[in-house]
Amino acid sequence: MFAPFLGILWCVQRLFVKAPSGRQRLNVLAALHATSHDLVTVTNLTYITATTVCELLWLLAGAYSGLPITLVLDNARYQRCTLVRTLAETLGIELLYLPAYSPNLNLIERLWKFVKKQCLYSKYYPDSASFQHAIMECLAQVPTNHKAALDSLLTLRFQTFKAVPVVGETPEGGLAPVVKRSETEVLLVFYQFKQLMGAAPQWFL
């Protein structure tokens, strides 16, 4: 979105920072390879739809023809529709949907946070064209200028928990909730990631 993204600045004197206005947007739908950090993108200036997702699936299938592909993605409606599922099955791409409300399990979210820090926070662009150029240039430099920073950021390390309390579950004779699930059950999603890693090129959408 072509709009203000302010950072934090401590100073004695009050400062005013220029900020763009408007609702012009740049949509970027991208797939990030889990280990090589290759990036495949589709962009537009309108909206992301199921057709856009299908375009990305075609690009992935063409770039890795003959190889098994697992695409990890969230539960956005346009990604779960019949059109996307049918095409993925035709192309031999496995769709692995994350649990609801778990963006922390999606590796590509770290990339978006990095892009915002590089291009948006406390930055002023006089027009939408320069704004779009900054975003696209940043993404183009993922395998070059930003490689070192992203290699340390985009690691397959996810926060895990052992015997974590769950709100609403209380033990007999106590007030504090207790979890009796085994570690294997608690870390089921994380195990799925590890299980798939050696089997197929894995992408995060």
Side-chain angles (χ1 to χ4, degrees):
M1 184 70 72
F2 184 55
F5 289 83
L6 297 181
I8 298 176
L9 175 66
W10 295 99
C11 61
V12 177
Q13 183 180 2
R14 178 181 293 181
L15 298 176
F16 293 89
V17 181
K18 284 185 175 182
S21 61
R23 296 191 60 82
Q24 294 173 294
R25 67 176 67 224
L26 170 66
N27 298 312
V28 181
L29 184 65
L32 174 72
H33 195 285
T35 53
S36 69
H37 302 156
D38 291 338
L39 197 65
V40 176
T41 62
V42 174
T43 62
N44 65 40
L45 302 178
T46 53
Y47 297 97
I48 296 293
T49 65
T51 304
T52 318
V53 179
C54 289
E55 184 178 350
L56 186 65
L57 293 179
W58 277 110
L59 289 176
L60 286 174
Y64 294 86
S65 178
L67 294 176
I69 299 174
T70 297
L71 185 62
V72 182
L73 62 172
D74 60 32
N75 289 272
R77 183 176 298 178
Y78 54 78
Q79 296 180 160
R80 296 187 65 93
C81 68
T82 303
L83 178 64
V84 171
R85 290 172 179 266
T86 302
L87 178 61
E89 184 177 356
T90 302
L91 297 176
I93 297 177
E94 178 186 12
L95 301 180
L96 176 60
Y97 293 98
L98 291 171
Y101 306 108
S102 57
N104 55 302
L105 295 178
N106 198 337
L107 195 65
I108 202 171
E109 292 294 341
R110 302 181 201 172
L111 173 65
W112 297 137
K113 185 176 181 180
F114 177 84
V115 172
K116 287 182 179 179
K117 182 178 179 181
Q118 292 289 317
C119 302
L120 301 183
Y121 294 156
S122 301
K123 300 288 180 66
Y124 170 70
Y125 300 102
D127 51 53
S128 180
S130 56
F131 164 77
Q132 295 170 24
H133 176 74
I135 300 293
M136 298 308 299
E137 185 177 26
C138 181
L139 292 175
Q141 292 176 354
V142 164
T144 56
N145 295 5
H146 300 315
K147 179 174 174 54
L150 290 174
D151 281 348
S152 62
L153 179 65
L154 301 176
T155 60
L156 294 174
R157 297 175 184 171
F158 298 89
Q159 187 176 14
T160 59
F161 301 90
K162 298 181 180 179
V164 292
V166 176
V167 175
E169 295 185 7
T170 55
E172 295 181 4
L175 296 178
V178 172
V179 174
K180 296 183 179 179
R181 299 187 181 94
S182 68
E183 181 182 350
T184 302
E185 292 174 309
V186 174
L187 305 182
L188 175 61
V189 175
F190 183 68
Y191 174 75
Q192 288 175 336
F193 285 145
K194 292 176 64 178
Q195 184 183 45
L196 290 167
M197 279 310 303
Q202 189 168 4
W203 296 80
F204 288 80
L205 176 60

